[in-house]
Every structure is written in C-alpha cells, then in structure tokens.
Amino acid sequence: MGLKLVLTGNYALAYAAKVARVNVVAAYPITPQTSVVEKLAEFIEEGELDAVMIRVESEHSALAACFGAALAGARVFTATSSQGLLYMHEVVHWASRARAPIVMGIVTRTLGPPWNIWPDHTDYMDQRDTGWIMSFAMDNQEAFDLTLQAFKVSEDPRVYLPVMVGIEGFILGHTSMPVEIPEQNLVDEWLGPRRQPYVVDGSEYMAIGNLALPEDTEEFFMDIQNAMEEARKVVVEVEEEYSKITGRPFKGPVECFKCEDAKYVAISMGAWSGDLMESVSQLRDEGYSVGLLRIRYYRPFPGDYIFEKANSTKGVLVFDRAISFGSYGPIFLDTAASFLKHTRKTPYIKNVVAGIGGVNITSDDFSRILKRFVHEVESDGVNVFEWYHKGKVVR
Amino acid sequence: MKVIVEPSKYRLPIARPLVGVAGKTGTWRLERPVVDNNKCTRCYLCEIHCPVNVIRVEPDAGVSIDYDYCKGCGLCADVCPVLAIKMVPEE
C-alpha cells in the first residue's frame, strides 16, 4: 500500500494529477478551485513533479494552452470553477471535438449573479452537452480515484474524449479527509505512457478543426456519441483494474446503497449523497423500505443500470442540485428518459430540486422529503416537481 | 515523455492543408498587381503597406511580389505615388 494522507478535496485532485505524471498544467485561479493548482505549482517547484506550469490570463486561455499541449503529446491537467468554467466553455467544446485526451477538475460553485461562492451543480451541469465524460465524487478518496482513472479513460483508444471530474467546492474542496495514494510504480505500470489519436509535432503541416461540410460534421458528432457508448464499458473496465492495484472496492458508474430490496429509491450525485445515506439508514431503522442510487458517472448517463435497479420499485425520487429553468433538474430529465427507453409503465418518478446556491441540506431534510414522498406514493398523490426551499435561516 | 499514437477508429477533425490553406492564395485572386520597375522610385511604400507582407523592394532590382501569397487586394497600387503598379485581371 502506498501513502495515507489527510488531504482536502482540492489537494486530492492535485495529488491525482501528480501521480499521473502530468507534463503540463495551465490554470487560472478562481475560488474555490485555486488551491488545486497552487498545490501543483508547489510540486513543480519542489521538483516532485516534472511538469511545466503555464500561467495564463484567463480560463479560456488555460484550457486552450492545455488543448495545444495535449495535441502536442503532453499529459495535461487543469481545474476551474463557476464563472471560470463558463468563460472556458468555447474551448471545452473544442477539446472534445478534436478528440484530445484531457483531464479537468471542476470544483463546483454556483453561478452568479448574485455573487455567491457556495457550491451547487449549476456550473457542472452547464457542461452537460459538450461531449466530455463527466464523473462526480462523493468524498476526497473518490475525488482522487476518479481523477486518476480519468487519465486512463480519456486516453483509451475506444474513447479518446476529455474527462471532467466534479467535486463540490468547500464541502469537499476545503474539507480534509484521509486519502490513500497508491504507490507510484504501480500507477506507472497501470496507467502506461500517454496515448492519443494524432500528434501535432511540427513534422508535417496539419490543420485542426477546419471547415467541414454539414454531412461530415454530423458524422463527427455521431462518432462522439458512439465513443460515449464505448465509454460505458471502458469506465467499468478501468475501475476494475484500478480496484486490483489499490484494493479498494469496485463501485461502478452508479453506487447502490441499500437499493437491492428497496421499495423506494432516491437518486443523487455529489457530496450530499453522504447525508442522504445517513438518512436512508435512519429511515430503514424506522421501517421505511428506502435505498439510494448514487451517480458517479453523469456522462455517459448510466440509464440502463438505473432502470435495472429501480424499475421494480414503487417510487423513484431524484434529487437535483441544479435546475434547467422552465423545465426540471437535469438528472431527473435523464432518469425519466432512461425509463421511457425501456417501458411505458414507469414507477412514480419525482424531482426534488434543493441545495441551490449552496443552501445546506441536512440528513434531517432528506428524511423529511423521503418520508413525504413515500406517503405521496401510498396515497397516489405525487407531485412530479418540488423545489425544496428552506427559507431564511435565523442567524 | 513517451507518446503512443494509436490510430482511432473514429473520424478526426484533422486535415492536410491544401493550396489555399496556410496562407497560399490558390486560384481565387481576381486581379494581380503588375509593377513597372522603370517608373518605380524605390520609396518602399508598397512594401510597408502590403497586408500579407509579400512585397520586397531592392535598391537595384526594384519591386518583387510573391504571387503565391498575394491576395490581389490592390493596396500597393493605391499607395504608389508614381502609379508604377497596375492591377490587371487574372488570366
């Protein structure tokens, strides 16, 4: 076994990039991400990491620099949050369309205005349609594991797509937890050298992303969709291999917590799933048959797996920490579509949007919502959508 | 740093530049500047103003233009104080 350190979520991301032996880091500081690249800068300065740190004037340039370095054959890493991620958005598309393997940490934070540094999933969900593989961690160990696995997934010839790993700012980003770090030689052997579909090294003239006709462009898009389908298998394979070298349990794209025999299943993603697990355990003690499906990979969306686990239940309650204004939460939309792919007779599916703007949702809140949902299903009175708003807290 | 280039089974948005890419003009220029070096006074205005930087003025030889890259914009003909450059239609 390697090292066991007490790390913040941000440092866990930095350590994952370090043991992956990235060659280039380009980043711009933004709360709450800044300490990720500060730590990487420390590693480089102390000679622990042989990489180039490119200091840039914006997030747009940060990912552009990483994109260029990746095309030239470097293993790259960057991290950002919130408004920075929005500023980067154009290059986020460029990277996936060019099939450049890149790994990026997203330390989520709500979008302004009003100006706010607390976490939710709105910035992360904004990248939903960019063609990146998207994972999301529940704790710092998982933040480390998913980031390290992201390099392997991204550089798999069946995939060749960039990967973003989400963690909630402050809640994980600035909270310290024990993190196990596998031995460097094991990681080197497992991850192997950098792989990519083409290299721009100046040996020949090459044009990237030049004009293509409509039919050709459509085929590029279809290829990304096919690669996403392949990625479903690849993420599972990569995690199985990773479990062997680290000895940590395999969880899959969706973690099932007491859901095998549950009559009611909650679906969630991110750090608040920990509170939800507490709530599920507590409700089990009270006699409620509830379970949890925790999404670890949001793209490609593990819809078939969720259907398989939740189809025989009476009710599915989807917790979203983001909202598509005028519609529902993104995870709910994906879940509902996944059920409709398989059957016309779905269980009750309800969407609860909560925790927006960093509002703290506790296990008591989850218990209250889950109990109410159970009673709604029993009495056939399910409202499909609820915005769980706690109102102002007296301070 | 070792990089393994494994071909992808997917289409990649990369291409070899053809004529017309990488700055070359190709076939779409409508007019080309033609210089009468006997009239030219070597004032260098055309070289200074050429937006694609393809004009060179030598004290003895006079003006030379690299037609591979010249876009035929006509600026050189406009700025020539002695009307030594004419724009003529492409063949």
Side-chain angles (χ1 to χ4, degrees), chain A residues 302-345:
Chain A
D304 294 351
Y305 186 88
I306 288 175
F307 173 78
E308 182 194 327
K309 292 286 182 197
N311 183 41
S312 51
T313 60
K314 287 184 177 178
V316 178
L317 181 60
V318 184
F319 286 98
D320 263 296
R321 211 168 181 179
I323 177 78
S324 177
F325 291 110
S327 180
Y328 301 94
I331 300 176
F332 171 80
L333 293 171
D334 284 316
T335 306
S338 304
F339 271 91
L340 290 175
K341 174 186 163 186
H342 293 281
T343 178
R344 289 289 181 84
K345 291 181 179 165

Side-chain angles (χ1 to χ4, degrees), chain B residues 6-42:
Chain B
E6 285 198 40
S8 169
K9 65 177 195 180
Y10 303 116
R11 292 174 142 235
L12 300 167
I14 52 176
R16 294 196 189 292
L18 302 168
V19 172
V21 184
K24 286 200 174 181
T25 306
T27 56
W28 54 264
R29 187 174 51 221
L30 298 177
E31 294 180 316
R32 64 163 56 206
V34 177
V35 187
D36 181 351
N37 273 321
N38 295 329
K39 275 190 184 179
C40 171
T41 62
R42 318 292 193 260

Side-chain angles (χ1 to χ4, degrees), chain A residues 88 97 201 216 232 238 292 328:
Chain A
M88 201 186 258
R97 298 284 191 280
D201 58 1
D216 290 322
R232 291 178 199 282
V238 166
L292 169 68
Y328 301 94

Side-chain angles (χ1 to χ4, degrees), chain A residues 339-376:
Chain A
F339 271 91
L340 290 175
K341 174 186 163 186
H342 293 281
T343 178
R344 289 289 181 84
K345 291 181 179 165
T346 65
Y348 281 112
I349 309 179
K350 179 176 177 171
N351 186 204
V352 170
V353 170
I356 300 283
V359 169
N360 190 22
I361 304 293
T362 63
S363 54
D364 288 348
D365 290 313
F366 282 124
S367 297
R368 200 173 303 133
I369 297 166
L370 276 165
K371 278 181 188 173
R372 199 166 53 209
F373 176 63
V374 170
H375 295 308
E376 279 178 6

Side-chain angles (χ1 to χ4, degrees), chain A residues 34-71:
Chain A
T34 309
S35 57
V36 179
V37 286
E38 279 177 347
K39 191 69 189 170
L40 283 165
E42 264 176 49
F43 288 144
I44 293 168
E45 188 206 10
E46 289 164 2
E48 289 183 47
L49 173 62
D50 180 19
V52 177
M53 168 68 81
I54 306 175
R55 294 193 302 276
V56 286
E57 76 292 346
S58 75
E59 286 84 358
H60 190 279
S61 307
L63 191 54
C66 283
F67 177 42
L71 294 185

